[in-house]
Amino acid sequence: MKNWIIPSIISTFCALNLYAQDNQWVARNNGLGNRTVYCIEMQANNPDVLVAGTAQGLFRTTNGGQQWNQMHNATARAVWISPNGQTIMFAFSQGSRSDGIWISRNGGQNFDVYQWMMWPYSLAVDPANNNRVFVGTRDQGFYYTLDGQNWNQANNGLPGGMISHLSLKNFNNQTHLFAATTRGVYHCIVGNNIQWNSIGPRNLRIGQTALGFDGDRDIFAGTNDESDSDGLYFSEDFGQNWDISRWCWWVQAVETAPGIVIFASREIGVLRSTDNGENWTLMNQQLPNFDVVDLAIHRGNNAVLVYCAHNGSGVYSYRIPVEGQPPSRFDLEEPDNGAEISIGPVIFRWGESEDPNGAVTYTLWLKKDNDSLSRATDDNLIEVNIARLGWDWARGDEVQWWVTAAQGGDITECNERFIFYAQTQPPQDFRLLEPVNGDTVENAEVLFRWEPSQDPDGEVSYIWLLDQPNGPPLVEVLDTTALIADLSGFFPGETTVWNALACSQGDTIWCEEQFRFHIKLREMPPEAFDLLHPANDTTINIADTTSDLITMNWQRSYDPNPEDTVSYCLYVYEIIGQIEVGHQFTLDDTIFSFRYHDYFPVRPGSFTLTHWYVVAISDEDTTYCNERFRFIAENPE
C-alpha cells in the first residue's frame, strides 16, 4: 500500500493547493474554452490528470486543469482512464458509422476503434480487469465484453430507451452492474447469462447513479423527470428499499468519496453532504449557472477536490478543506478471546474501521512469548496458517493478537487485544512397511521404510530406532520415511526389532506395531583360486592307451559364508573349427583323473590342443579360476 499512497499524497498536495481555491468554483478552461463538456473522468491515483469529453473532441490535462490539450476530435459522451493513465477509452456518439468505443493504450497519443456500435452513451470498466468493458447506448441497449475481444448484447429485463449511466461494484466475489435508464435503476450480476432486474426508484427518469458511499451496499440515484417526484434517492441495501434524500428537479450528476456525497441539480445547483445525506450544503459560489452534467471527485488527507463538467462553460474546480481524522475504533470478532485454537489455518476477523480521508488498511499482530510478527491486508479478515510461522508449539501456549487500522499517517488500534491458546494434535497412526515382521535380512545395507504420518498442526519428523542385542540401540532423526542402515556389524542368527516414532509440535506417536526380523550373513561368492596341474602348455604323451591317465588338480576355493560348501565343475574340451567339443565333470574335490582315450578320439601322429578350466560353486554364487590352462595331447605313432 505504501508504494502507491506516497506518490498519490504528493500529487494530491500539488493539485489541492495550487490548482483550486477553497469553497468556490474556478474556471479551468485554458485550451478547452467554454465548450459543453458531456463527461469528465479523473485518473484514480493522480487527481492532476483529467480527461473531458466534448462535442468537439476529447481533451486531457495533467496539471489539474491549468492547461488542456486535445487528444481526439470525436464527440465523447463517456470516458474512462486507467489508474496508470496509459489506457483511455471513450464512447464516440453522434449517430454516424464512426460511433463506438475508441481506445488508446499509450496515454492518448493514438486511438483505435475498440468496438463499433450505434449511439454509445455510458461506459464502465472493471478496475480489477480492464478487458471487462460495459457500454450503455441511446436506443440499442447494453453491450459488454469480458475478454476485450468478444462482444455480446444483453437486454433481458431492460426497458427500451437510453442507458444514461453505468456504475460497477465488485462485492462478495461478484461484479454488480447498475444501469440508469428512463424507467429507473436496473441491476445485474455479470456472468455468462446476464439478467437485468428493476430495483427502483420506479417509473422515474434517472440521471446518474453512484456507488460506494459509507458502505459496500449503498446507492445514490438522481432523477430528472421534470416532476415533483424528482430528487436524490438513497438505498443502503443494493436497491431493495429506497428513501428520498433531497427533493429537487433535474438531478444530472452524482458522485461520492469516503465521507462525502455531491450531486448537481439544474434547479438548485451543486450540493454536498458529509452525514450520509441527512443534511446538505450548497456549493454554488462563482458557478455561472446550475447546468452541471458530470462530476469528478477526489478526497485527500486535507481536502476534497471536485471538478464539474458544465453545459456551455467548460470545466470548473472546487476545493473543500477537511480536517484529517484517524480511523475509527473497532472490535475484534474471531477467534473469541480465550479460545483454544488448533495449530493450522486460522481465520482472524474484526470489525471495519472507517476514515473519511480515504481507504483504511489493516495490520494483524501476533505475539507468543518473545516472538512477534505482522500481516498486512486491505480487508477486515485474513487467514494465517500458524503452523507455518516457524514457531515451536506446545499444548496450551498463549498467543496475543490484535489489529491496527491505518490511513495516511494515522493509526488506530482495536478496542481490546485478544488471546488464544494452542490446541496441538498428535500425529496420526502409521505402519511400518519393510523389512516386514518375521523377515530375514543379510548383515549388509538394509532399506527400512514406513508410511508417512499426517499432522494438522504442521510438518512431521521421525525417529528411527533399531535394537542391538549387544549394544545401545541405533537411532536416527529424519524428515523422510525411509532409511538405509548398515547391519554388517550384526552376527548371523541374531533376532532384533525396529520401530519409528512420528513427532510434530511436541506431540509424538509410535507406529502401530514394532517389527521383528532375523539376521543372516549376506551372500558372498567363493574366493578366487588357481589351476595347478598339468601346468599350462604342458605336452602329454597319450600313445600308450594303458597308461594315458591324466591327473588334474587346482587350489581349493573357500566361501566366506561358513554354512555354505564349495563344489567344482571341471571343463575339458577341444576346439574343432569354431565349436568347443568336450566334457564337464561335477566334483567335490580339487583333483580329478581320467583316461584321455576314454573321452577324446586319438589319431596316430596327432598333436591335439586340449583346454581346461574349473568353476567353484557355492549355493547360487560362482567363481571362475583365475586363468584357463591347456595341454598338448601327443600321439607320435
Side-chain angles (χ1 to χ4, degrees), residues 187-225:
H187 166 260
C188 74
I189 297 175
V190 175
N192 293 328
N193 296 305
I194 291 180
Q195 175 65 47
W196 292 92
N197 296 287
S198 174
I199 61 172
R202 302 295 189 270
N203 299 319
L204 292 174
R205 291 168 54 86
I206 302 299
Q208 293 198 16
T209 59
L211 296 178
F213 171 68
D214 198 25
D216 284 326
R217 302 177 65 84
D218 295 349
I219 308 173
F220 282 90
T223 66
N224 55 7
D225 198 37

mmCIF file of all heavy atoms in Angstrom, residues 187-225:
data_model
loop_
_atom_site.group_PDB
_atom_site.id
_atom_site.type_symbol
_atom_site.label_atom_id
_atom_site.label_comp_id
_atom_site.label_asym_id
_atom_site.label_seq_id
_atom_site.Cartn_x
_atom_site.Cartn_y
_atom_site.Cartn_z
ATOM 1 N N HIS A 187 -30.390 -3.568 -12.222
ATOM 2 C CA HIS A 187 -29.219 -4.227 -11.638
ATOM 3 C C HIS A 187 -29.030 -5.596 -12.271
ATOM 4 O O HIS A 187 -30.018 -6.293 -12.599
ATOM 5 C CB HIS A 187 -29.407 -4.371 -10.122
ATOM 6 C CG HIS A 187 -28.436 -5.321 -9.470
ATOM 7 N ND1 HIS A 187 -28.767 -6.622 -9.136
ATOM 8 C CD2 HIS A 187 -27.136 -5.163 -9.122
ATOM 9 C CE1 HIS A 187 -27.715 -7.211 -8.590
ATOM 10 N NE2 HIS A 187 -26.716 -6.354 -8.561
ATOM 11 N N CYS A 188 -27.768 -6.008 -12.423
ATOM 12 C CA CYS A 188 -27.464 -7.370 -12.854
ATOM 13 C C CYS A 188 -26.151 -7.804 -12.227
ATOM 14 O O CYS A 188 -25.349 -6.973 -11.787
ATOM 15 C CB CYS A 188 -27.381 -7.498 -14.371
ATOM 16 S SG CYS A 188 -25.877 -6.786 -15.092
ATOM 17 N N ILE A 189 -25.943 -9.107 -12.176
ATOM 18 C CA ILE A 189 -24.665 -9.687 -11.787
ATOM 19 C C ILE A 189 -24.002 -10.191 -13.058
ATOM 20 O O ILE A 189 -24.591 -10.975 -13.814
ATOM 21 C CB ILE A 189 -24.848 -10.815 -10.767
ATOM 22 C CG1 ILE A 189 -25.458 -10.265 -9.476
ATOM 23 C CG2 ILE A 189 -23.518 -11.506 -10.466
ATOM 24 C CD1 ILE A 189 -25.783 -11.324 -8.444
ATOM 25 N N VAL A 190 -22.782 -9.762 -13.310
ATOM 26 C CA VAL A 190 -22.103 -10.100 -14.559
ATOM 27 C C VAL A 190 -21.750 -11.583 -14.559
ATOM 28 O O VAL A 190 -21.163 -12.105 -13.605
ATOM 29 C CB VAL A 190 -20.833 -9.243 -14.726
ATOM 30 C CG1 VAL A 190 -20.060 -9.675 -15.961
ATOM 31 C CG2 VAL A 190 -21.206 -7.766 -14.808
ATOM 32 N N GLY A 191 -22.120 -12.266 -15.629
ATOM 33 C CA GLY A 191 -21.827 -13.683 -15.787
ATOM 34 C C GLY A 191 -22.092 -14.095 -17.213
ATOM 35 O O GLY A 191 -22.199 -13.268 -18.123
ATOM 36 N N ASN A 192 -22.231 -15.406 -17.425
ATOM 37 C CA ASN A 192 -22.457 -15.913 -18.782
ATOM 38 C C ASN A 192 -23.825 -15.535 -19.311
ATOM 39 O O ASN A 192 -23.998 -15.289 -20.501
ATOM 40 C CB ASN A 192 -22.282 -17.433 -18.797
ATOM 41 C CG ASN A 192 -20.847 -17.850 -18.542
ATOM 42 O OD1 ASN A 192 -19.925 -17.127 -18.915
ATOM 43 N ND2 ASN A 192 -20.643 -18.990 -17.897
ATOM 44 N N ASN A 193 -24.832 -15.487 -18.431
ATOM 45 C CA ASN A 193 -26.188 -15.124 -18.837
ATOM 46 C C ASN A 193 -26.649 -13.961 -17.969
ATOM 47 O O ASN A 193 -27.060 -14.140 -16.822
ATOM 48 C CB ASN A 193 -27.138 -16.316 -18.689
ATOM 49 C CG ASN A 193 -26.767 -17.471 -19.604
ATOM 50 O OD1 ASN A 193 -26.662 -17.294 -20.809
ATOM 51 N ND2 ASN A 193 -26.552 -18.643 -19.029
ATOM 52 N N ILE A 194 -26.577 -12.755 -18.533
ATOM 53 C CA ILE A 194 -26.926 -11.559 -17.771
ATOM 54 C C ILE A 194 -28.430 -11.351 -17.803
ATOM 55 O O ILE A 194 -29.043 -11.321 -18.879
ATOM 56 C CB ILE A 194 -26.190 -10.341 -18.329
ATOM 57 C CG1 ILE A 194 -24.686 -10.466 -18.037
ATOM 58 C CG2 ILE A 194 -26.738 -9.047 -17.745
ATOM 59 C CD1 ILE A 194 -23.855 -9.311 -18.551
ATOM 60 N N GLN A 195 -29.022 -11.186 -16.633
ATOM 61 C CA GLN A 195 -30.441 -10.894 -16.489
ATOM 62 C C GLN A 195 -30.592 -9.628 -15.659
ATOM 63 O O GLN A 195 -30.127 -9.555 -14.528
ATOM 64 C CB GLN A 195 -31.170 -12.055 -15.808
ATOM 65 C CG GLN A 195 -32.640 -11.802 -15.510
ATOM 66 C CD GLN A 195 -33.470 -11.628 -16.771
ATOM 67 O OE1 GLN A 195 -33.345 -12.434 -17.707
ATOM 68 N NE2 GLN A 195 -34.290 -10.585 -16.822
ATOM 69 N N TRP A 196 -31.229 -8.612 -16.236
ATOM 70 C CA TRP A 196 -31.429 -7.343 -15.537
ATOM 71 C C TRP A 196 -32.714 -7.384 -14.724
ATOM 72 O O TRP A 196 -33.707 -7.991 -15.121
ATOM 73 C CB TRP A 196 -31.508 -6.192 -16.534
ATOM 74 C CG TRP A 196 -30.224 -5.910 -17.249
ATOM 75 C CD1 TRP A 196 -29.818 -6.425 -18.455
ATOM 76 C CD2 TRP A 196 -29.180 -5.048 -16.807
ATOM 77 N NE1 TRP A 196 -28.587 -5.945 -18.794
ATOM 78 C CE2 TRP A 196 -28.160 -5.079 -17.799
ATOM 79 C CE3 TRP A 196 -28.989 -4.244 -15.689
ATOM 80 C CZ2 TRP A 196 -26.990 -4.347 -17.697
ATOM 81 C CZ3 TRP A 196 -27.830 -3.510 -15.577
ATOM 82 C CH2 TRP A 196 -26.840 -3.557 -16.566
ATOM 83 N N ASN A 197 -32.688 -6.690 -13.583
ATOM 84 C CA ASN A 197 -33.860 -6.572 -12.720
ATOM 85 C C ASN A 197 -34.018 -5.122 -12.281
ATOM 86 O O ASN A 197 -33.042 -4.454 -11.919
ATOM 87 C CB ASN A 197 -33.715 -7.457 -11.481
ATOM 88 C CG ASN A 197 -33.652 -8.927 -11.839
ATOM 89 O OD1 ASN A 197 -34.648 -9.531 -12.219
ATOM 90 N ND2 ASN A 197 -32.464 -9.511 -11.730
ATOM 91 N N SER A 198 -35.254 -4.659 -12.288
ATOM 92 C CA SER A 198 -35.545 -3.303 -11.850
ATOM 93 C C SER A 198 -35.439 -3.216 -10.334
ATOM 94 O O SER A 198 -35.962 -4.069 -9.613
ATOM 95 C CB SER A 198 -36.952 -2.896 -12.292
ATOM 96 O OG SER A 198 -37.290 -1.633 -11.749
ATOM 97 N N ILE A 199 -34.717 -2.192 -9.836
ATOM 98 C CA ILE A 199 -34.602 -2.023 -8.388
ATOM 99 C C ILE A 199 -35.059 -0.641 -7.943
ATOM 100 O O ILE A 199 -34.943 -0.305 -6.764
ATOM 101 C CB ILE A 199 -33.154 -2.272 -7.920
ATOM 102 C CG1 ILE A 199 -32.180 -1.295 -8.568
ATOM 103 C CG2 ILE A 199 -32.733 -3.706 -8.179
ATOM 104 C CD1 ILE A 199 -30.777 -1.375 -7.998
ATOM 105 N N GLY A 200 -35.580 0.215 -8.859
ATOM 106 C CA GLY A 200 -36.151 1.500 -8.473
ATOM 107 C C GLY A 200 -35.151 2.625 -8.562
ATOM 108 O O GLY A 200 -34.000 2.406 -8.899
ATOM 109 N N PRO A 201 -35.549 3.859 -8.221
ATOM 110 C CA PRO A 201 -36.927 4.284 -7.949
ATOM 111 C C PRO A 201 -37.821 4.040 -9.167
ATOM 112 O O PRO A 201 -37.386 4.227 -10.307
ATOM 113 C CB PRO A 201 -36.794 5.785 -7.675
ATOM 114 C CG PRO A 201 -35.347 5.985 -7.304
ATOM 115 C CD PRO A 201 -34.606 4.966 -8.103
ATOM 116 N N ARG A 202 -39.049 3.620 -8.946
ATOM 117 C CA ARG A 202 -39.906 3.130 -10.016
ATOM 118 C C ARG A 202 -40.424 4.260 -10.918
ATOM 119 O O ARG A 202 -40.795 5.335 -10.442
ATOM 120 C CB ARG A 202 -41.097 2.367 -9.436
ATOM 121 C CG ARG A 202 -40.706 1.173 -8.565
ATOM 122 C CD ARG A 202 -39.999 0.078 -9.382
ATOM 123 N NE ARG A 202 -39.815 -1.134 -8.604
ATOM 124 C CZ ARG A 202 -38.770 -1.395 -7.864
ATOM 125 N NH1 ARG A 202 -37.797 -0.509 -7.778
ATOM 126 N NH2 ARG A 202 -38.662 -2.529 -7.206
ATOM 127 N N ASN A 203 -40.418 3.976 -12.221
ATOM 128 C CA ASN A 203 -41.075 4.818 -13.222
ATOM 129 C C ASN A 203 -40.610 6.274 -13.188
ATOM 130 O O ASN A 203 -41.386 7.196 -13.390
ATOM 131 C CB ASN A 203 -42.597 4.754 -13.035
ATOM 132 C CG ASN A 203 -43.119 3.342 -13.219
ATOM 133 O OD1 ASN A 203 -42.683 2.627 -14.112
ATOM 134 N ND2 ASN A 203 -44.045 2.959 -12.360
ATOM 135 N N LEU A 204 -39.316 6.456 -12.899
ATOM 136 C CA LEU A 204 -38.758 7.796 -12.921
ATOM 137 C C LEU A 204 -37.542 7.801 -13.849
ATOM 138 O O LEU A 204 -36.774 6.851 -13.896
ATOM 139 C CB LEU A 204 -38.326 8.228 -11.515
ATOM 140 C CG LEU A 204 -39.444 8.451 -10.490
ATOM 141 C CD1 LEU A 204 -38.839 8.735 -9.127
ATOM 142 C CD2 LEU A 204 -40.335 9.603 -10.918
ATOM 143 N N ARG A 205 -37.426 8.920 -14.588
ATOM 144 C CA ARG A 205 -36.250 9.059 -15.435
ATOM 145 C C ARG A 205 -35.032 9.278 -14.546
ATOM 146 O O ARG A 205 -35.039 10.097 -13.643
ATOM 147 C CB ARG A 205 -36.433 10.242 -16.384
ATOM 148 C CG ARG A 205 -37.482 10.018 -17.443
ATOM 149 C CD ARG A 205 -37.811 11.328 -18.149
ATOM 150 N NE ARG A 205 -36.621 11.976 -18.670
ATOM 151 C CZ ARG A 205 -36.077 11.714 -19.862
ATOM 152 N NH1 ARG A 205 -36.601 10.778 -20.635
ATOM 153 N NH2 ARG A 205 -35.016 12.360 -20.281
ATOM 154 N N ILE A 206 -33.955 8.495 -14.809
ATOM 155 C CA ILE A 206 -32.779 8.529 -13.949
ATOM 156 C C ILE A 206 -31.653 9.272 -14.642
ATOM 157 O O ILE A 206 -31.342 9.006 -15.807
ATOM 158 C CB ILE A 206 -32.335 7.096 -13.585
ATOM 159 C CG1 ILE A 206 -33.477 6.366 -12.902
ATOM 160 C CG2 ILE A 206 -31.098 7.130 -12.694
ATOM 161 C CD1 ILE A 206 -33.944 7.001 -11.617
ATOM 162 N N GLY A 207 -31.024 10.184 -13.911
ATOM 163 C CA GLY A 207 -29.869 10.879 -14.465
ATOM 164 C C GLY A 207 -28.614 10.038 -14.319
ATOM 165 O O GLY A 207 -28.066 9.544 -15.287
ATOM 166 N N GLN A 208 -28.147 9.832 -13.091
ATOM 167 C CA GLN A 208 -26.948 9.049 -12.854
ATOM 168 C C GLN A 208 -27.099 8.274 -11.554
ATOM 169 O O GLN A 208 -27.930 8.586 -10.711
ATOM 170 C CB GLN A 208 -25.713 9.942 -12.779
ATOM 171 C CG GLN A 208 -25.384 10.611 -14.105
ATOM 172 C CD GLN A 208 -23.961 11.118 -14.132
ATOM 173 O OE1 GLN A 208 -23.137 10.734 -13.326
ATOM 174 N NE2 GLN A 208 -23.661 11.978 -15.091
ATOM 175 N N THR A 209 -26.227 7.257 -11.391
ATOM 176 C CA THR A 209 -26.140 6.541 -10.123
ATOM 177 C C THR A 209 -24.712 6.630 -9.623
ATOM 178 O O THR A 209 -23.783 6.871 -10.378
ATOM 179 C CB THR A 209 -26.523 5.052 -10.282
ATOM 180 O OG1 THR A 209 -25.634 4.467 -11.230
ATOM 181 C CG2 THR A 209 -27.944 4.894 -10.738
ATOM 182 N N ALA A 210 -24.551 6.431 -8.324
ATOM 183 C CA ALA A 210 -23.220 6.415 -7.732
ATOM 184 C C ALA A 210 -23.201 5.364 -6.637
ATOM 185 O O ALA A 210 -24.180 5.179 -5.927
ATOM 186 C CB ALA A 210 -22.872 7.776 -7.155
ATOM 187 N N LEU A 211 -22.082 4.645 -6.525
ATOM 188 C CA LEU A 211 -21.979 3.546 -5.572
ATOM 189 C C LEU A 211 -20.881 3.811 -4.554
ATOM 190 O O LEU A 211 -19.939 4.556 -4.825
ATOM 191 C CB LEU A 211 -21.645 2.238 -6.295
ATOM 192 C CG LEU A 211 -22.685 1.719 -7.273
ATOM 193 C CD1 LEU A 211 -22.170 0.473 -7.929
ATOM 194 C CD2 LEU A 211 -23.978 1.438 -6.543
ATOM 195 N N GLY A 212 -21.005 3.163 -3.405
ATOM 196 C CA GLY A 212 -19.868 3.046 -2.513
ATOM 197 C C GLY A 212 -19.771 4.053 -1.411
ATOM 198 O O GLY A 212 -18.787 4.051 -0.678
ATOM 199 N N PHE A 213 -20.751 4.928 -1.229
ATOM 200 C CA PHE A 213 -20.651 5.887 -0.133
ATOM 201 C C PHE A 213 -21.075 5.239 1.176
ATOM 202 O O PHE A 213 -22.160 4.698 1.309
ATOM 203 C CB PHE A 213 -21.541 7.100 -0.407
ATOM 204 C CG PHE A 213 -21.665 8.022 0.778
ATOM 205 C CD1 PHE A 213 -20.583 8.746 1.216
ATOM 206 C CD2 PHE A 213 -22.863 8.133 1.458
ATOM 207 C CE1 PHE A 213 -20.695 9.587 2.301
ATOM 208 C CE2 PHE A 213 -22.991 8.961 2.551
ATOM 209 C CZ PHE A 213 -21.908 9.701 2.975
ATOM 210 N N ASP A 214 -20.170 5.284 2.163
ATOM 211 C CA ASP A 214 -20.485 4.858 3.528
ATOM 212 C C ASP A 214 -20.986 3.416 3.570
ATOM 213 O O ASP A 214 -21.945 3.094 4.261
ATOM 214 C CB ASP A 214 -21.524 5.793 4.149
ATOM 215 C CG ASP A 214 -21.549 5.656 5.663
ATOM 216 O OD1 ASP A 214 -20.522 5.240 6.227
ATOM 217 O OD2 ASP A 214 -22.587 5.938 6.263
ATOM 218 N N GLY A 215 -20.340 2.532 2.830
ATOM 219 C CA GLY A 215 -20.731 1.132 2.892
ATOM 220 C C GLY A 215 -20.717 0.485 1.529
ATOM 221 O O GLY A 215 -20.846 1.158 0.507
ATOM 222 N N ASP A 216 -20.605 -0.837 1.521
ATOM 223 C CA ASP A 216 -20.493 -1.550 0.257
ATOM 224 C C ASP A 216 -21.812 -1.640 -0.502
ATOM 225 O O ASP A 216 -21.813 -1.870 -1.702
ATOM 226 C CB ASP A 216 -19.973 -2.975 0.509
ATOM 227 C CG ASP A 216 -18.491 -2.994 0.788
ATOM 228 O OD1 ASP A 216 -17.780 -2.168 0.202
ATOM 229 O OD2 ASP A 216 -18.053 -3.827 1.600
ATOM 230 N N ARG A 217 -22.952 -1.472 0.155
ATOM 231 C CA ARG A 217 -24.237 -1.741 -0.495
ATOM 232 C C ARG A 217 -25.067 -0.479 -0.717
ATOM 233 O O ARG A 217 -26.252 -0.549 -0.996
ATOM 234 C CB ARG A 217 -25.030 -2.748 0.336
ATOM 235 C CG ARG A 217 -24.298 -4.067 0.538
ATOM 236 C CD ARG A 217 -25.081 -5.009 1.429
ATOM 237 N NE ARG A 217 -26.338 -5.415 0.825
ATOM 238 C CZ ARG A 217 -26.469 -6.420 -0.041
ATOM 239 N NH1 ARG A 217 -25.393 -7.116 -0.401
ATOM 240 N NH2 ARG A 217 -27.630 -6.736 -0.549
ATOM 241 N N ASP A 218 -24.450 0.701 -0.563
ATOM 242 C CA ASP A 218 -25.190 1.952 -0.679
ATOM 243 C C ASP A 218 -25.246 2.431 -2.115
ATOM 244 O O ASP A 218 -24.283 2.299 -2.871
ATOM 245 C CB ASP A 218 -24.541 3.044 0.174
ATOM 246 C CG ASP A 218 -24.609 2.725 1.653
ATOM 247 O OD1 ASP A 218 -25.328 1.772 2.002
ATOM 248 O OD2 ASP A 218 -23.953 3.410 2.446
ATOM 249 N N ILE A 219 -26.386 3.001 -2.513
ATOM 250 C CA ILE A 219 -26.565 3.566 -3.846
ATOM 251 C C ILE A 219 -27.263 4.920 -3.712
ATOM 252 O O ILE A 219 -28.242 5.044 -2.976
ATOM 253 C CB ILE A 219 -27.432 2.672 -4.756
ATOM 254 C CG1 ILE A 219 -26.903 1.233 -4.791
ATOM 255 C CG2 ILE A 219 -27.519 3.249 -6.153
ATOM 256 C CD1 ILE A 219 -27.819 0.297 -5.539
ATOM 257 N N PHE A 220 -26.756 5.920 -4.436
ATOM 258 C CA PHE A 220 -27.460 7.180 -4.610
ATOM 259 C C PHE A 220 -27.905 7.256 -6.062
ATOM 260 O O PHE A 220 -27.117 6.989 -6.969
ATOM 261 C CB PHE A 220 -26.560 8.364 -4.275
ATOM 262 C CG PHE A 220 -26.399 8.609 -2.804
ATOM 263 C CD1 PHE A 220 -25.377 8.008 -2.102
ATOM 264 C CD2 PHE A 220 -27.287 9.434 -2.141
ATOM 265 C CE1 PHE A 220 -25.230 8.241 -0.747
ATOM 266 C CE2 PHE A 220 -27.150 9.672 -0.786
ATOM 267 C CZ PHE A 220 -26.111 9.072 -0.073
ATOM 268 N N ALA A 221 -29.143 7.626 -6.305
ATOM 269 C CA ALA A 221 -29.674 7.726 -7.658
ATOM 270 C C ALA A 221 -30.419 9.043 -7.796
ATOM 271 O O ALA A 221 -31.321 9.343 -7.002
ATOM 272 C CB ALA A 221 -30.602 6.556 -7.961
ATOM 273 N N GLY A 222 -30.049 9.837 -8.803
ATOM 274 C CA GLY A 222 -30.727 11.101 -9.059
ATOM 275 C C GLY A 222 -31.709 10.965 -10.205
ATOM 276 O O GLY A 222 -31.430 10.300 -11.203
ATOM 277 N N THR A 223 -32.880 11.587 -10.081
ATOM 278 C CA THR A 223 -33.916 11.502 -11.119
ATOM 279 C C THR A 223 -34.084 12.853 -11.798
ATOM 280 O O THR A 223 -33.821 13.907 -11.212
ATOM 281 C CB THR A 223 -35.258 11.062 -10.518
ATOM 282 O OG1 THR A 223 -35.742 12.068 -9.633
ATOM 283 C CG2 THR A 223 -35.075 9.765 -9.718
ATOM 284 N N ASN A 224 -34.557 12.811 -13.029
ATOM 285 C CA ASN A 224 -34.774 14.051 -13.791
ATOM 286 C C ASN A 224 -36.012 13.907 -14.676
ATOM 287 O O ASN A 224 -35.941 14.023 -15.889
ATOM 288 C CB ASN A 224 -33.536 14.414 -14.614
ATOM 289 C CG ASN A 224 -33.093 13.276 -15.530
ATOM 290 O OD1 ASN A 224 -33.783 12.262 -15.656
ATOM 291 N ND2 ASN A 224 -31.954 13.460 -16.185
ATOM 292 N N ASP A 225 -37.149 13.720 -14.032
ATOM 293 C CA ASP A 225 -38.407 13.515 -14.738
ATOM 294 C C ASP A 225 -39.184 14.813 -14.918
ATOM 295 O O ASP A 225 -40.316 14.803 -15.386
ATOM 296 C CB ASP A 225 -39.257 12.499 -13.966
ATOM 297 C CG ASP A 225 -40.367 11.906 -14.819
ATOM 298 O OD1 ASP A 225 -40.125 11.676 -16.014
ATOM 299 O OD2 ASP A 225 -41.469 11.695 -14.283
#
